[in-house]
Amino acid sequence: MLSDRADFPLRRSLPATEVTSEQHIWNWAQNAPLGPQTRLQRPQDEESLRHIITHRSGRIRPIGTTLSTGDLLAIQHEQDTLIDISGLSGLLRSSENSATFAAGTPLHEVYQTLKTLGRMLPASPGVIAIQTLAGAIATGTHGQGLGQGALADDVLHIRLLCADGTVAEFYRDHPWFGALQLGLCCLGVMTEITLRTVPLTVFTCFKSAVSAGGLQEEIYTWNKAFTFNKAWWFPEDDRVHVWCSREATPRERQRYRAGDAVALSAGDSSLNATVDQTLTHMQNDTRILGEEGRHFDTVTRFKDFTDLTGDIYQLFCRGIAAPQINVKIGIPLARAGQTIALIKQWYAEAHPHMHYPVILRCIGLAQPRLAAAHLLFWLRGLLCR
Ligand SMILES: Cc1cc2nc3c(=O)[nH]c(=O)nc-3n(C[C@H](O)[C@H](O)[C@H](O)COP(=O)(O)OP(=O)(O)OC[C@H]3O[C@@H](n4cnc5c(N)ncnc54)[C@H](O)[C@@H]3O)c2cc1C
């Protein structure tokens, strides 16, 4: 399948003739050098960031947790500068319906802070929360649910440090705002981001394992009937693991208050054999040793699954960041069924080797001005060999 090593480099695959890996900054996946250690700056506040920008010799590239692909993060010339923005972190101020964070705040801190304020973002979270707020906004990071969009959709205000060291403040009515929301750092370095917040709500997530036979129709049914839907499709076993979530009933909320995130059903083991087989593939393919296999928890958690009541972060933001070979495709929702049928046909003919299920997530967009102003159907799969 994806055999081109240039497009999908293995971890620490720098040619032996180049400078040694210890002298380089690497991206999180450890498969792309971003630049020499000597070209990295770590400002602790906006003033020192401004100093770096105004005294730079080449171009600058801010980096967050470096989860993105190397080509989005690496500097191109030896006089360019990498700027680690994680020193700019924390809640700066909040109002009844908004909260302003420093751009390098990790998402888990954003979510935890909002929870202590009794608030959450209207957009559902992605599967992990180790990203910086700026990195997640700049790349259109998203969760699931047709009634909400990407995290960037909840941005009300951006404070930007421009290439000449001046500060610019942008609000939603600015004609450039859509470009800034998904800016990929083309327009400047974000230092503050204000987010729209709503009251923290408790949801119940119903989990099931079903045949993949009706997937091309059911993907619409699940997404129309539930606030949040996510599905993992295991083509090898013709099975789909489905999470359908809606606001909790008063009784479910009562039980939740009595015991935090509450399991509502006995463990269902019907997916366990499929999960074991997937784990074997992942172990054989990634050959990642150490960390006591913790990265495989991202799949192991599908075993003995139960319905759950909890807040949106307890239910959906539970992934373990695990290096994988990953292809992510967004298509208009209307073409989801047709696309699933084509993938089924392709899978039957080609029998590709896969070490992770295809993930299906639908998102809508509250604000039509974002770059991808369509309903999107996200299909995420991992193919190798
Ligand atoms: C295991 C894993 C799971 C993931 N799960 C999801 C998911 O569920 N949903 C989803 O949508 N995505 C997901 N992603 C993608 C991830 O959310 C994005 O790659 C995100 O950009 C990572 O944030 P970061 O802090 O690592 O940013 P980086 O990768 O460090 O940076 C991303 C971009 O933001 C720019 N940038 C960083 N800081 C600033 C700043 N201050 N001002 C301007 N630009 C800036 C960078 O220059 C770069 O262009 C996942 C990725 C991984 C590896």
Side-chain angles (χ1 to χ4, degrees), residues 28 61-68 72-73 85 103 126-128 131-132 134-136 138-142 184-185 188-190 321-322 328 361 380:
W28 170 86
R61 166 60 65 189
I63 51 173
T65 315
T66 70
L67 289 154
S68 303
L72 211 58
L73 301 168
I85 57 144
V127 73
I128 56 165
Q131 303 98 319
T132 58
T139 53
T141 294
H142 64 89
L184 290 175
C185 193
V189 181
M190 293 184 274
K328 187 170 182 176
R361 287 189 283 184
R380 180 168 171 225

Side-chain angles (χ1 to χ4, degrees), residues 27-29 34 49 60-69 71-74 82-86 88 102-107 124-144 150-151 158-161 180 183-193 230 298 316 319-324 326 328 359 361 363 378 380:
N27 65 341
W28 170 86
L34 307 183
L49 174 62
I60 54 144
R61 166 60 65 189
I63 51 173
T65 315
T66 70
L67 289 154
S68 303
T69 54
D71 49 0
L72 211 58
L73 301 168
L82 284 166
I83 303 180
D84 175 350
I85 57 144
S86 59
L88 280 65
T105 313
L107 285 184
S124 69
V127 73
I128 56 165
I130 60 173
Q131 303 98 319
T132 58
L133 179 57
I137 298 298
T139 53
T141 294
H142 64 89
Q144 51 279 305
L151 297 180
I158 290 172
R159 183 174 165 97
L160 197 75
L161 210 44
L180 280 155
L184 290 175
C185 193
C186 296
L187 299 169
V189 181
M190 293 184 274
T191 59
E192 291 182 16
I193 296 169
K230 189 169 181 181
T298 195
F316 284 101
I320 311 287
Q324 306 151 350
N326 209 315
K328 187 170 182 176
I359 305 177
R361 287 189 283 184
I363 64 166
W378 287 102
R380 180 168 171 225

Side-chain angles (χ1 to χ4, degrees), residues 8 49 52 96 114 192 208 228 237 260 349 361 383-384:
F8 302 95
L49 174 62
I52 295 165
E96 198 183 343
L114 292 180
E192 291 182 16
S208 58
F228 306 115
D237 286 352
D260 207 16
E349 287 166 10
R361 287 189 283 184
L383 318 172
C384 71

Side-chain angles (χ1 to χ4, degrees), residues 116-381:
T116 52
L117 296 171
R119 311 291 294 176
M120 64 180 220
L121 299 181
S124 69
V127 73
I128 56 165
I130 60 173
Q131 303 98 319
T132 58
L133 179 57
I137 298 298
T139 53
T141 294
H142 64 89
Q144 51 279 305
L146 284 181
Q148 53 84 65
L151 297 180
D153 215 28
D154 295 339
V155 176
L156 298 174
H157 153 255
I158 290 172
R159 183 174 165 97
L160 197 75
L161 210 44
C162 303
D164 61 0
T166 55
V167 169
E169 308 269 358
F170 293 93
Y171 295 86
R172 288 190 84 92
D173 58 358
H174 194 283
W176 295 1
F177 201 74
L180 280 155
Q181 277 167 298
L182 300 182
L184 290 175
C185 193
C186 296
L187 299 169
V189 181
M190 293 184 274
T191 59
E192 291 182 16
I193 296 169
T194 303
L195 299 159
R196 187 164 64 99
T197 67
V198 292
L200 185 65
T201 306
V202 176
F203 295 91
T204 291
C205 182
F206 301 96
K207 302 182 182 179
S208 58
V210 300
S211 154
L215 182 58
Q216 49 268 57
E217 294 87 35
E218 283 167 333
I219 190 82
Y220 295 108
T221 314
W222 298 327
N223 274 283
K224 282 176 186 152
F226 290 90
T227 317
F228 306 115
N229 170 254
K230 189 169 181 181
W232 292 260
W233 173 20
F234 297 81
E236 199 166 342
D237 286 352
D238 208 27
R239 308 274 290 164
V240 188
H241 184 39
V242 193
W243 290 11
C244 290
S245 191
R246 51 121 175 94
E247 199 169 327
T249 61
R251 191 153 177 269
E252 290 161 357
R253 271 202 302 275
Q254 205 177 6
R255 286 184 59 182
Y256 169 72
R257 282 199 200 100
D260 207 16
V262 176
L264 295 179
S265 59
D268 184 325
S269 61
S270 61
L271 212 62
N272 289 11
T274 302
V275 170
D276 283 335
Q277 182 170 290
T278 304
L279 276 173
T280 307
H281 288 329
M282 268 182 91
Q283 270 154 353
N284 289 342
D285 292 345
T286 63
R287 296 186 189 279
I288 297 170
L289 304 172
E291 298 168 46
E292 295 163 348
R294 195 171 164 267
H295 46 289
F296 294 122
D297 289 356
T298 195
V299 185
T300 317
R301 73 204 153 111
F302 294 146
K303 286 174 101 171
D304 300 315
F305 58 83
T306 59
D307 298 344
L308 270 183
T309 296
D311 67 52
I312 194 169
Y313 306 114
Q314 289 171 316
L315 294 182
F316 284 101
C317 196
R318 297 171 63 96
I320 311 287
Q324 306 151 350
I325 300 168
N326 209 315
V327 179
K328 187 170 182 176
I329 309 160
I331 61 167
L333 183 66
R335 284 170 43 199
Q338 184 194 358
T339 308
I340 290 170
L342 281 171
I343 294 173
K344 281 182 173 176
Q345 188 187 339
W346 163 75
Y347 189 86
E349 287 166 10
H351 292 292
H353 171 82
M354 296 175 67
H355 68 213
Y356 204 74
V358 178
I359 305 177
L360 302 105
R361 287 189 283 184
C362 300
I363 64 166
L365 291 170
Q367 291 295 322
R369 71 157 99 206
L370 276 183
H374 301 284
L375 291 183
L376 293 178
F377 160 84
W378 287 102
L379 186 152
R380 180 168 171 225

Side-chain angles (χ1 to χ4, degrees), residues 39 41 52 56 59-61 75 79-83:
R39 298 308 305 164
Q41 298 270 3
I52 295 165
R56 71 190 189 280
R59 293 182 169 199
I60 54 144
R61 166 60 65 189
I75 54 173
Q79 71 273 26
D80 295 350
T81 308
L82 284 166
I83 303 180

